Amino acid sequence: MFESLGSTGALTGSPGVIYAMVAASVLLDVFLPVLPSGVLVIAAATAAAAGTAAGKVPGDVPDLLLLTLIAATASVLGDLVAYRLAWRGGARLDRAIARSRRLTTAQERLGSALARGGGPLVVLARFAPAGRSVVSLVAGAAHRRIREFLPWSALAGLTWAVYSVALGYYGAQWLGTTWLATGVSVLALFGAGAGAAYVMRRQPA
């Protein structure tokens, strides 16, 4: 698995295809958290490191800055789509949240955090499994103002994108552009997600 992911750049043959794959995966994983968007970002950054090490011209390998911006932008756009859909969800979505203790608690925590003008919870949730989905849907269902939610969503998306790209690129620099580098980077991403989920559970309601 990791070997094939580490060869993403060679398999696609075009940075444009890699950008499109990353953008689509990051945009959609707010609705389908099982999509490996973080893994694809890491694999793309690893491909960039591999191309640089092989002496390829810049146009033949993914550009790290562009990759980061695409991943961050797709993250924010996905958040906004989920936010708007939940905003218009009406009574049905409200009843679904009321039936879920997890969603109800998340709604209370998020509302309190945004009302205080601080939304580190939004940033933290971006790393936790399905956390991004819960936060975006709850913010929309609770009709939080967009100026309260959007800046933190943008910060969350950028932080996550920078972290993921850095894992892939520097992992390849330190460990070589092999499946091992990709595997270690992916484990580091999952570790950050587990840590974020643990911290969120420890937060008082």
Side-chain angles (χ1 to χ4, degrees), residues 30 75-76 79-80 83 106-107 109-140 144-160 196-197 199-200 203:
V30 70
S75 177
V76 176
D79 288 354
L80 289 179
Y83 169 87
Q107 187 176 49
R109 292 175 177 172
L110 180 63
S112 177
L114 293 178
R116 293 195 303 268
L121 180 63
V122 178
V123 179
L124 196 63
R126 185 60 186 85
F127 291 84
R132 172 193 180 200
S133 305
V134 171
V135 164
S136 299
L137 292 172
V138 165
R144 306 307 307 182
R145 290 176 293 183
I146 190 65
R147 65 173 179 268
E148 294 178 339
F149 175 69
L150 182 57
W152 290 104
S153 171
L155 179 59
L158 182 60
T159 302
W160 174 83
V199 172
M200 291 178 67
Q203 292 293 319

Side-chain angles (χ1 to χ4, degrees), residues 173-192:
Q173 291 289 314
W174 294 333
L175 299 174
T177 53
T178 65
W179 66 269
L180 177 61
T182 305
V184 170
S185 299
V186 169
L187 288 177
L189 182 66
F190 289 166

Side-chain angles (χ1 to χ4, degrees), residues 35-55:
L35 289 177
S37 58
V39 177
L40 285 178
V41 174
I42 287 174
T46 303
T52 301

